[in-house]
Amino acid sequence: MTRLAPVARLTQYARGGGSCKIPPGELERIVAGLTGGDDALLVGGPDGDDAAVLRIEGGRAVVSAADFFTPVVVDDAYDWGRIAAANALSHVYAVGGVPLMALNLLGWPADALPAELAREVLRGGRDTAALAGVAIAGGHTIDDPEPKYGLAVTGIADPDRLLRLDAGRPGVPLTLTKPLGLGVLNARHKATGEVFAHAVAAMTELNAAAGLAALERGAACATDVAGPGLLGHLYKLARASGVTAVVDASAVPYLDGARAAVRDGFVPGGTRRNLRWVSPHTDFRRIAEEERLLLADAQTSGGLLVAGEIPGAPVIGELVGRQRYTLVIR
């Protein structure tokens, strides 16, 4: 917590757990047929890409993304702001863009939490944006019984060098740039108050270098790993690309303490919903329930999942020709 007057733990103001998002399968049904409609829209149609990319004059493209969430991850207001900003910026990096400007999105229970605490949230967002070279240009606030914070981000990209969900091809390796386990560790923090500094460090790490490395290595297909978990994002990528994604479970990296959190029962509802969503499309072979939950764990500000190799990041599988199942975990 900040050094302001003592208040209730921020995570206790978050009604849900995990990513606090509408379940991905339900969301797809809600928005079906309500996106797209412009030939200049290069990314951002029905596949559920991380950001929208629109071609403009001069051989350029503008990138737009928005993300906000309740304080399901940490009790410290400043860290929550940092994490939420990194998470929103990640969507621009995930399509190969460079963020330039952002607007704050803040919902705040003015009668329950002090304004000084809201300022700490905004300060955290500002400091992370500054690290990314992004200007915060105001934003929008509402009085809300459940705190919410994030950013609406605008960036630019080369329309001929984008990272898309539908550009995966058979024979390409899959690389993951951050370890999994953020959802279950955050659930443990919310329940017990135990602080996991290494999880905060992972969530506040920008994906700028990973996005640039993907482009430099010639990758054309990527996504960031957030609320739908690794398996949810990989399912969308493989489905859009018309391929099957094969994951080597033993190659997937996890944060210290993640497995213990699952064994001790700290599994967010969002993680379980993710697993239910992808299970009909996945051949898990002999993968145990604990491993399945970790692979489906609802992440906040996770890494990039790239169809291609990134120096220093583990290869966790590959794309192959379309098979009976969209995902195979071996």
Side-chain angles (χ1 to χ4, degrees), residues 221-248:
C221 177
T223 183
D224 68 347
V225 181
L230 172 66
L231 293 187
H233 282 285
L234 189 53
Y235 169 61
K236 293 200 297 180
L237 184 155
R239 182 182 61 183
S241 295
V243 297
T244 284
V246 180
V247 174
D248 295 319

Side-chain angles (χ1 to χ4, degrees), residues 224-289:
D224 68 347
V225 181
L230 172 66
L231 293 187
H233 282 285
L234 189 53
Y235 169 61
K236 293 200 297 180
L237 184 155
R239 182 182 61 183
S241 295
V243 297
T244 284
V246 180
V247 174
D248 295 319
S250 62
V252 177
Y254 295 101
L255 291 165
D256 290 344
R259 291 187 182 278
V262 174
R263 287 195 296 269
D264 293 341
F266 296 104
V267 180
T271 294
R272 296 190 185 279
R273 289 191 292 270
N274 290 341
L275 184 56
R276 286 197 297 269
W277 180 48
V278 300
S279 287
H281 314 286
T282 305
D283 178 3
F284 281 108
R285 299 190 177 178
R286 296 184 178 180
I287 301 299
E289 179 75 3

Side-chain angles (χ1 to χ4, degrees), residues 102-179:
L103 301 174
N104 287 312
L105 303 173
L106 179 69
W108 197 254
D111 293 336
L113 291 174
E116 292 82 4
L117 207 60
R119 180 176 175 84
E120 283 295 288
V121 177
L122 295 172
R123 188 171 70 88
R126 180 207 62 186
D127 287 355
T128 291
L131 287 175
V134 171
I136 297 285
H140 186 68
T141 64
I142 61 169
D143 191 339
D144 190 333
E146 189 174 27
K148 300 174 180 69
Y149 177 64
L151 298 176
V153 187
T154 301
I156 56 172
D158 181 342
D160 298 320
R161 297 180 71 216
L162 296 173
L163 301 171
R164 308 170 55 105
L165 278 179
D166 62 359
R169 299 293 179 264
V172 178
L174 291 167
T175 301
L176 182 64
T177 66
K178 287 186 188 181

Side-chain angles (χ1 to χ4, degrees), residues 23-325:
E26 181 179 343
L27 180 60
E28 286 190 343
R29 291 191 294 272
I30 292 171
V31 303
L34 300 178
T35 59
D38 192 319
D39 292 339
L41 188 65
L42 303 177
V43 177
D47 291 332
D49 290 272
D50 300 291
V53 181
L54 186 75
R55 186 189 297 273
I56 57 177
E57 295 180 358
R60 297 172 297 171
V62 62
V63 183
S64 183
D67 202 305
F68 60 94
F69 53 85
T70 60
V72 293
V73 291
V74 288
D75 288 313
D76 186 274
Y78 178 74
D79 281 345
W80 177 33
R82 295 168 62 211
I83 293 165
N87 183 69
L89 293 167
S90 181
H91 300 323
V92 175
Y93 298 132
V95 298
V98 177
L100 298 177
M101 181 184 73
L103 301 174
N104 287 312
L105 303 173
L106 179 69
W108 197 254
D111 293 336
L113 291 174
E116 292 82 4
L117 207 60
R119 180 176 175 84
E120 283 295 288
V121 177
L122 295 172
R123 188 171 70 88
R126 180 207 62 186
D127 287 355
T128 291
L131 287 175
V134 171
I136 297 285
H140 186 68
T141 64
I142 61 169
D143 191 339
D144 190 333
E146 189 174 27
K148 300 174 180 69
Y149 177 64
L151 298 176
V153 187
T154 301
I156 56 172
D158 181 342
D160 298 320
R161 297 180 71 216
L162 296 173
L163 301 171
R164 308 170 55 105
L165 278 179
D166 62 359
R169 299 293 179 264
V172 178
L174 291 167
T175 301
L176 182 64
T177 66
K178 287 186 188 181
L180 302 181
L182 292 164
V184 295
L185 288 178
N186 291 338
R188 186 165 209 148
H189 170 68
K190 182 179 179 182
T192 68
E194 185 177 356
V195 176
F196 300 99
H198 63 304
V200 174
M203 290 185 286
T204 53
E205 180 185 353
L206 294 173
N207 281 324
L212 179 60
L215 292 175
E216 289 178 342
R217 299 284 290 192
C221 177
T223 183
D224 68 347
V225 181
L230 172 66
L231 293 187
H233 282 285
L234 189 53
Y235 169 61
K236 293 200 297 180
L237 184 155
R239 182 182 61 183
S241 295
V243 297
T244 284
V246 180
V247 174
D248 295 319
S250 62
V252 177
Y254 295 101
L255 291 165
D256 290 344
R259 291 187 182 278
V262 174
R263 287 195 296 269
D264 293 341
F266 296 104
V267 180
T271 294
R272 296 190 185 279
R273 289 191 292 270
N274 290 341
L275 184 56
R276 286 197 297 269
W277 180 48
V278 300
S279 287
H281 314 286
T282 305
D283 178 3
F284 281 108
R285 299 190 177 178
R286 296 184 178 180
I287 301 299
E289 179 75 3
E290 175 185 306
E291 195 86 12
R292 298 184 188 194
L293 288 167
L294 285 166
L295 291 168
D297 190 33
Q299 305 297 279
T300 299
S301 192
L304 296 189
L305 174 65
V306 180
E309 290 194 52
I310 303 299
V315 171
I316 63 165
E318 63 179 333
L319 300 179
V320 300
R322 188 60 183 266
Q323 301 178 3
R324 176 184 176 187
Y325 289 96

